[in-house]
Amino acid sequence: MIIGVVGKIAAGKTTIAKFFEERGFCRVSCSDPLIDLLTHNLSEYSWLPEVPEKSEPTRDKLIEYGRYLKETYGEDILIRLALDKKRNCENVVIDGVRSRGEIEAIKKRDGVIIYVEASPEIRYERLKKRNAGKDKVIKSFEDFLKADEAEEKLYHTSKLKDLADFLIVNEGTLEELKAKVEGIITSLTSKKV
């Protein structure tokens, strides 16, 4: 089973993926292949489109390189690489799915899409708490809104909600979020029986 998790910056994509991981899924992010290629961490792949010059995987570099790969190798390149990285897993959850082409690649493999959303204010607070290296350039709420707007222009993330099989509004506690994910897992496993 393949699960794709879609949403805006700091909406809770990785947290949701980690809940699936606790239930036995192998977790991978769409950005993992980009980071691996940019840092030359290549041992987990059975194939690679090309290896770029080694560089630091900043948010801007990831976006730029991801765009290049999609234009050169197809909209589904990151899904193909992510699934190759986790090729020995029966169940995979992919967080950071960001385009119609990536969603279609997952659905073509009988996968399921979860869209997660939260208000910009909540997402900004989460981003500050996570203190991720790729977020270093975001120093204020205004910076966050600009990054959010740039990502929306690039990926049209909010329009992807219509392609989702499940919608999660993630504005409560971790326990509430986990309960929503458990409900989805129950729904999916009961369909497989």
Side-chain angles (χ1 to χ4, degrees), residues 156-189:
H156 310 290
T157 312
S158 56
K159 290 188 174 113
L160 301 176
K161 187 191 317 188
D162 297 337
L163 303 174
D165 300 291
F166 297 94
L167 171 66
I168 293 178
V169 177
N170 180 22
E171 295 186 340
T173 66
L174 269 177
E175 292 74 26
E176 289 168 331
L177 179 60
K178 189 170 192 170
K180 290 175 183 180
V181 171
E182 289 294 334
I184 291 172
I185 291 171
T186 300
S187 166
L188 293 173
T189 51

Side-chain angles (χ1 to χ4, degrees), residues 6 18 37 53 59 68 91 115 123 145 156 181 191:
V6 185
K18 285 178 179 176
L37 285 163
E53 189 176 311
R59 183 176 291 280
Y68 165 76
N91 296 312
Y115 188 94
R123 292 186 295 114
L145 291 175
H156 310 290
V181 171
K191 284 180 187 171

